[in-house]
Amino acid sequence: NNPLQALQAALNKLGYRCYHMQEVPNNRHNGHFWAWYEAMLAKFKGEGPMYTPQDLDKILQDYSAVTDIPCVLFPEDLMTAYPNAKVILTTRPVDAWLKSLSKLHAITNWKSMRLLAKVDPDIAKYLSLLRIAITSWAPDGQWRSPADLTAGYHRHNEHIRSLTKTHNIALLEFRSEDGWEPLCRFLNKPVPDEPYPYINAGDGLARYHYFLVAATAVMVSGRWMAKCIYSYGHLSGP
């Protein structure tokens, strides 16, 4: 089970509107590609002004919950922006997390994604923010090292535990196999009369990005055709 996508589905079922990695492309028209790219460039590369909690709130103003990258890479800012929120720390065997990260890295190397990045600025920013996210787990630059990534995984979890204590925010450590009961009890929600969501650990991520590539290719082709038609009309006009 993909724990973050399953948690997103569970939170949506409980009445929240959850911001997941897929919401970045879904909000292309709202400038989320560029906003997250700028925020991550500032935080992890030291380039440009740092995004404030208020800036992040502008991005997330239509949502009531967040999971996955890029949001999980801004825990201090989010806890400052939403001091009354509750934090759910999803945990899983580190080998499963490493495999998921490896699949995400493979997607950034798809020839179709790299080609689209050359002709579509939004996809270029999206690829950049994914790469920054992947390398952020090993700040010393050794992100290809399973040992360094594993250390980054545990360091992140300990950081979340520490931050929730500092900010006096309620924390639930949760695994998908725990099911509805502890999650609903933590959120004061009734338990749904259906199984806890199950999302294939690999297929969902690849399938979504196949769709993103196809949709972007259609959009880019449409822009190119519209430009050609305009040029032809302009040249052949009276």
Side-chain angles (χ1 to χ4, degrees):
N1 197 7
N2 184 314
L4 295 179
Q5 285 186 293
L7 181 60
Q8 179 200 25
L11 292 173
N12 286 340
K13 178 66 180 179
L14 294 176
Y16 298 95
R17 188 180 182 201
C18 189
Y19 195 100
H20 186 268
M21 181 179 71
Q22 295 174 358
E23 294 299 311
V24 179
N26 292 348
N27 280 277
R28 176 196 296 262
H29 59 289
N30 291 324
H32 285 206
F33 280 122
W34 292 79
W36 284 117
Y37 171 72
E38 289 177 346
M40 295 184 70
L41 201 63
K43 179 169 184 175
F44 296 104
K45 300 293 186 181
E47 299 178 21
M50 293 287 288
Y51 268 45
T52 66
Q54 293 73 25
D55 292 327
L56 296 179
D57 183 55
K58 290 179 182 178
I59 300 174
L60 301 169
Q61 60 183 330
D62 294 328
Y63 296 83
S64 54
V66 300
T67 65
D68 206 0
I69 59 173
C71 295
V72 298
L73 301 176
F74 293 84
E76 303 95 331
D77 307 276
L78 292 175
M79 290 186 204
T80 299
Y82 308 109
N84 297 318
K86 294 182 175 182
V87 173
I88 302 166
L89 176 60
T90 56
T91 58
R92 54 175 151 169
V94 69
D95 288 347
W97 178 79
L98 287 171
K99 186 179 294 185
S100 176
L101 198 67
S102 176
K103 289 177 179 178
L104 183 61
H105 177 248
I107 288 170
T108 66
N109 282 326
W110 285 357
K111 290 182 179 179
S112 53
M113 289 286 275
R114 288 185 288 151
L115 177 61
L116 283 174
K118 294 181 179 180
V119 295
D120 185 85
D122 285 338
I123 292 297
K125 294 295 180 288
Y126 183 61
L127 276 184
S128 293
L129 73 86
L130 289 183
R131 287 168 177 153
I132 293 172
I134 293 169
T135 58
S136 72
W137 293 100
D140 57 359
Q142 301 301 317
W143 62 271
R144 294 183 184 273
S145 163
D148 285 355
L149 288 174
T150 296
Y153 172 81
H154 292 302
R155 185 168 52 247
H156 171 81
N157 288 351
E158 286 302 321
H159 186 47
I160 298 301
R161 295 180 184 112
S162 175
L163 283 174
T164 54
K165 289 181 180 178
T166 300
H167 289 265
N168 195 28
I169 288 177
L171 171 68
L172 172 68
E173 296 202 29
F174 180 76
R175 292 191 176 204
S176 293
E177 53 264 36
D178 296 336
W180 287 114
E181 290 286 348
L183 180 65
C184 292
R185 185 167 58 250
F186 182 66
L187 297 174
N188 298 315
K189 296 285 187 179
V191 176
D193 187 22
E194 62 182 66
Y196 186 80
Y198 180 87
I199 310 293
N200 188 292
D203 291 350
L205 182 66
R207 186 164 52 248
Y208 178 79
H209 284 89
Y210 284 137
F211 172 79
L212 176 61
V213 166
T216 303
V218 169
M219 185 178 65
V220 170
S221 298
R223 288 200 302 251
W224 179 80
M225 289 188 67
K227 184 176 181 180
C228 289
I229 291 171
Y230 171 79
S231 298
Y232 175 78
H234 179 72
L235 292 173
S236 61

